[in-house]
Amino acid sequence: MENILEASGLTKRFHGLVAVHDVSVQLRRGEILGLIGPNGAGKTTLVDMVNGTLEPNAGDLVFEGRSVRGLPAYRRAHLGIGRTFQIMKPFPGMSVLENASIGALFGTNGGERSIGRAREQARECLAFVGLGRRIAQRADALGGPDRKRLELARALAMRPRLLLLDEVMAGLNHVEIEEVIEDIKKVRDQGISILVIEHVMKAITSLSDRVFVLHHGEKIVEGSCGEVLRDPRVVEAYLGRRRR
Amino acid sequence: MVLLLQVLVSGVLLGGLYALMALGLALVWGVLNIVNLSHGALIMLGAYATWFLYTGAHIDPFAALPIAAASLFALGYIIQRGILNLVIRGPMFNTLLITFGIEVILTYLAQLWFSADFRTINPSYAGSNHALGGLTVPYVQALAFAIDSVLTTAMWMFLLRTRTGRGIRAASQNLVAARLYGVDPKRIYALTFGLGAALAGVAGGLYGTVSQINPYIGGPLTAKSFVIAIIGGLDNPLGVIAGGLFLGVVESLTALYVGPTYRDVASFGMLVLILIARPGGLLGRTA
Amino acid sequence: MKRAGAAQRLPEPPEGEPGARGAATRAARRTALALAVAALAALPWIGNTVLVQFGISVLLLATLAQGWNIIGGYTGYPSFGNSVFYGLGAYGVAIAMVQYELPFWVGMLLGLGLGVAFAGLLGLAVLRLKGHHFAICTLGLALVMTAIVSNLEIAGGNIGLVLPLLRSEVLFYELALGLAVLATLTVLWLSRSRFGLGLIAIRENEEGAAVMGVNTTFYKVIAFMLSAAFTALAGGIYAYHITYIDPVGVFDVVLNVKMIIMAVFGGPGSVLGPVVGALILSATAEVLAARLTGAASLFFGIVIVVAVVFMPRGIAHLVRHIGPAGWRYFIDNVRTHRL
Ligand SMILES: Nc1ncnc2c1ncn2[C@@H]1O[C@H](COP(=O)(O)OP(=O)(O)O)[C@@H](O)[C@H]1O
Ligand SMILES: [Mg+2]
């Protein structure tokens, strides 16, 4: 199977702190790759480097066969990399529909040229995540779970080929988590490759084809869900943290 | 060589005054996140207060400084409590605009009370100076410089050591935390702005002893204070001193080697270049 | 979250039929606006010289406010340096006409070119700054330009330049009207185009916009250049009309603040707000200047303070939202923004 994303030797330092150290990872086309690790492990930083929010200090990044290192975030969006933010970044003064329309207007391949069609596309994505009734509301009037849904809908409206999901289920209840899990499966069935960061283990186990684990900025294991979760190093990474 | 040294001495003396001017602006900016466009007008009012006490009540300008500072503190406290606290959570350019509106009002009132004529504060010792090697050091400027240094240090100590000072620093870090810590933001904000205004008042009084004043000197002084705050950062008063000295020396050198009309090009050009090259300021955090 | 302007709507209501009623009201609105412009164009033949003079000044200010609206209101970058473009436009005309004896329109092109080129070059550097830093850096630029131009021989140095006299108030009026209409149509286009939505996205959350595919640098620089274009053209008309310019006069920092106030008073990020703001504020200032000479600036200051306190989102927002709340609208504004 062909790889849609190949990261090799990615490293990111913040002043003295090494947030991500020499991480290599491949994502296959059409697969869902789970990314787990304790808080502060460097998961968000890794995603930031993939979509261009941050530039790595070292390493290379190949997306669909071409190196995207050094490309600004908007160019990577045009190539088909979409993401959600753990700390959500909606356009607060715009309506929910407008928020998603921006994704449709500017996303993959530069997006739709017509506002009308973009809005249609945005409306579909909003309906898909269950925000169909809220499209006229201002984004800053939404509650937490709805903001998470909006974050997902905005990324989907970009029609991405690779979707990076940074803790989209944090703060959702069981029912809502089930819904989002189903949604993500449907997205994958459309042929979109997905990297999903999640602390909700149930989501990781029911979604991921493979899982890899970051700890202190380094990849400690990679493999199938079952293998990884039984790996003593992973158990220690999590329990070690809990004990502190 | 002597000329260069002389220029450096004047530059440093001027810079001390600049530093004091900028100190209040940096304090308000750092704590309240307000860039106070009326800061120069407050300096102007401080100068007039000193002038008024000197010509009207024959109080020595240096003795008049505490009175000027106290009046400006009261004015600043009222402005923050009565007006700025009402808009402080609005969009940023609203606070810029409103302080500009205040500057317009203060300038108008100054012109109404003191007329648009140039004024000078001329105590008997005004022209005298001290010869040091081949250099002349004007007494008034040297005294002004000494006061700047003392006040800046006092400010630093106040912020570090006193309860209120710590409250102010807490409020500048995080308002929510400050509230938990028992600080009343309304009062702390008004105090901080009052303090900034009092510093402007002293700076104005000293400015009046070394330079002519009229109601319109505020705008350019605000701009210079910005430049210094940008160079020095908002973290601590020492950065502001360094920024003031730097600007004073650069201006004096430009005036000597390039031409007096290029003085402002130098200082504002430096502002622009520094912002573009080092958005964080030369010496520290700036916003 | 600190934001530049009021909530921005997409052109059509998100739900409901774009049917006959919407189209009808839109046609009616368009007709009303066309009629208003026609009436304005006819003003020189109806009104007296004083009114025409006033009209020129208001229309130029409206253009400035509209120009600022593009970069400040839509894009969220509060420029305090637009006076630079105004000054460059004015000096473009003055230098072309005085030093090279070229026709007025060549001067306008020169001024336009200078302003837009300056915005393009500086925009690349300056538009990386955010918030206060951007505001102050542009203010610094305005001050530097005043000082530089004061030292330029070709620009007449400190003394300035005297332009040839053209006694045709009607021509100046129609030119100013044309420019103001053009600026407003551009803003109208922004409010309903992909480009304009990109700018609004930048204002609302720049990082979010970039991640969703908006080429933020390019969009910001183009917005800055558009803003500069209108501002420079207004400066050119002003120079020829006033016939005498000097650095302090046309690079006036206070002018920056004026255009911002007009735009903010009217409603930043709205289409007609800046024009309405320019009209109301100029008219009031004019009346007051006649009634209480000298106190006009005091009044100006008070208006700014009161407007920022009670209607921080401008007239456009006020008109749309005051509704049944009445005076409580003002109280609510204070409530949401006070400490
Ligand atoms: N912009 C930044 N500046 C400095 N340190 C950062 C920055 N972003 C993240 N970090 C640090 O990098 C480490 C990894 O953070 P992050 O990628 O957010 O972890 P995770 O998403 O796995 O919880 C943390 O120690 C965090 O404090
Ligand atoms: Mg994270």
Side-chain angles (χ1 to χ4, degrees), chain A residues 78-168:
Chain A
H78 292 180
L79 290 175
I81 303 181
R83 76 169 286 185
T84 66
F85 283 95
Q86 179 181 3
I87 298 163
M88 296 152 282
K89 296 183 189 294
F91 305 119
M94 290 180 164
S95 73
V96 167
L97 179 62
E98 289 157 5
N99 263 273
S101 302
I102 296 292
L105 271 174
F106 294 94
T108 305
N109 297 328
E112 280 287 345
R113 303 287 131 169
S114 131
I115 294 188
R117 262 182 318 208
R119 198 178 293 131
E120 239 2 273
Q121 195 171 313
R123 197 172 278 151
E124 275 167 28
C125 295
L126 288 164
F128 176 77
V129 301
L131 277 179
R133 294 167 179 283
R134 301 226 181 266
I135 57 175
Q137 269 185 21
R138 269 175 66 122
D140 55 4
L142 291 182
D146 278 345
R147 281 186 195 215
K148 286 280 180 195
R149 292 193 179 101
L150 176 58
E151 198 64 26
L152 181 57
R154 290 186 341 151
L156 287 175
M158 294 166 64
R159 301 252 157 105
R161 285 201 269 276
L162 167 64
L163 184 60
L164 311 165
L165 300 175
D166 194 353
E167 303 198 20
V168 280

Side-chain angles (χ1 to χ4, degrees), chain B residues 5-64:
Chain B
L5 279 179
Q6 180 66 55
V7 168
L8 287 179
V9 167
S10 332
V12 167
L13 292 177
L14 178 69
L17 186 56
Y18 279 174
L20 187 60
M21 286 183 183
L23 193 57
L25 182 102
L27 177 70
V28 168
W29 188 1
V31 177
L32 276 55
N33 199 25
I34 291 177
V35 171
N36 176 18
L37 293 180
S38 67
H39 188 72
L42 296 171
I43 296 176
M44 178 269 296
L45 285 183
Y48 271 111
T50 312
W51 171 81
F52 183 73
L53 290 167
Y54 175 65
T55 50
H58 304 290
I59 300 176
D60 182 272
F62 287 94

Side-chain angles (χ1 to χ4, degrees), chain A residues 14-15 17 19-20 37-46 54 86 166-167 197 199:
Chain A
F14 295 111
H15 307 291
L17 177 100
V20 171
N39 277 325
K43 305 181 296 293
T44 299
T45 305
L46 186 65
L54 289 174
Q86 179 181 3
D166 194 353
E167 303 198 20
I197 298 178
H199 281 307

Side-chain angles (χ1 to χ4, degrees), chain B:
Chain B
M1 192 60 210
V2 174
L3 181 62
L4 177 63
L5 279 179
Q6 180 66 55
V7 168
L8 287 179
V9 167
S10 332
V12 167
L13 292 177
L14 178 69
L17 186 56
Y18 279 174
L20 187 60
M21 286 183 183
L23 193 57
L25 182 102
L27 177 70
V28 168
W29 188 1
V31 177
L32 276 55
N33 199 25
I34 291 177
V35 171
N36 176 18
L37 293 180
S38 67
H39 188 72
L42 296 171
I43 296 176
M44 178 269 296
L45 285 183
Y48 271 111
T50 312
W51 171 81
F52 183 73
L53 290 167
Y54 175 65
T55 50
H58 304 290
I59 300 176
D60 182 272
F62 287 94
L65 288 180
I67 311 179
S71 344
L72 265 292
F73 176 85
L75 178 65
Y77 194 93
I78 293 168
I79 289 176
Q80 180 68 36
R81 197 83 208 223
I83 303 173
L84 296 181
N85 273 351
L86 297 180
V87 300
I88 201 154
R89 291 197 300 141
M92 172 213 114
F93 56 60
N94 279 1
T95 52
L96 282 177
L97 276 182
I98 202 163
T99 55
F100 176 81
I102 292 169
E103 129 111 44
V104 171
I105 294 173
L106 296 179
T107 306
Y108 174 81
L109 293 178
Q111 175 206 314
L112 191 68
W113 289 328
F114 305 114
S115 91
D117 299 340
F118 275 102
R119 308 284 184 190
T120 47
I121 303 172
N122 252 333
S124 54
Y125 48 83
S128 51
N129 48 47
H130 182 71
L132 200 90
L135 305 173
T136 45
V137 181
Y139 278 133
V140 172
Q141 256 129 324
L143 187 55
F145 183 79
I147 294 178
D148 302 335
S149 318
V150 169
L151 269 182
T152 311
T153 318
M155 185 71 214
W156 187 218
M157 289 295 138
F158 168 76
L159 288 178
L160 280 184
R161 297 285 160 80
T162 66
R163 209 183 117 77
T164 314
R166 288 204 199 103
I168 288 176
R169 290 194 305 138
S172 80
Q173 299 299 322
N174 182 340
L175 204 50
V176 180
R179 239 185 219 124
L180 294 176
Y181 182 82
V183 173
D184 169 15
K186 283 186 191 139
R187 200 180 65 92
I188 282 289
Y189 273 32
L191 264 177
T192 307
F193 198 90
L195 218 53
L199 288 168
V202 178
L206 293 173
Y207 182 85
T209 59
V210 299
S211 186
Q212 290 190 320
I213 56 172
N214 75 8
Y216 313 111
I217 57 174
L221 294 183
T222 306
K224 287 197 177 160
S225 306
F226 271 151
V227 182
I228 295 160
I230 292 288
I231 298 173
L234 307 178
D235 272 341
N236 73 57
L238 298 178
V240 176
I241 295 192
L245 295 182
F246 185 55
L247 187 72
V249 171
V250 167
E251 278 197 0
S252 302
L253 288 176
T254 313
L256 176 67
Y257 289 107
V258 189
T261 50
Y262 281 95
R263 231 186 158 121
D264 286 354
V265 180
S267 50
F268 300 132
M270 209 155 66
L271 167 74
V272 172
L273 290 180
I274 289 173
L275 275 174
I276 291 174
R278 296 272 325 247
L282 274 190
L283 299 170
R285 180 184 75 102
T286 28

Side-chain angles (χ1 to χ4, degrees), chain A residues 51 53 73-74 77-78 81 83 85 89-95 97-99 101-103 105-107 110 112-113 115 119 123 135-136 138 140 154 158, chain C residues 1 3 6-15 192-195 197-202 204-216 219 313:
Chain A
N51 95 304
T53 305
Y74 81 90
H78 292 180
I81 303 181
R83 76 169 286 185
F85 283 95
K89 296 183 189 294
F91 305 119
M94 290 180 164
S95 73
L97 179 62
E98 289 157 5
N99 263 273
S101 302
I102 296 292
L105 271 174
F106 294 94
E112 280 287 345
R113 303 287 131 169
I115 294 188
R119 198 178 293 131
R123 197 172 278 151
I135 57 175
R138 269 175 66 122
D140 55 4
R154 290 186 341 151
M158 294 166 64
Chain C
M1 190 74 222
R3 266 178 307 106
Q8 201 59 45
R9 307 246 132 249
L10 280 179
E12 289 151 50
E15 276 295 21
R192 53 191 54 195
S193 64
R194 182 171 176 270
F195 182 77
L197 279 170
L199 296 185
I200 295 168
I202 290 173
E204 295 290 318
N205 186 333
E206 189 163 342
E207 194 184 358
V211 166
M212 291 170 86
V214 181
N215 183 351
T216 50
Y219 271 58
R313 281 170 291 192

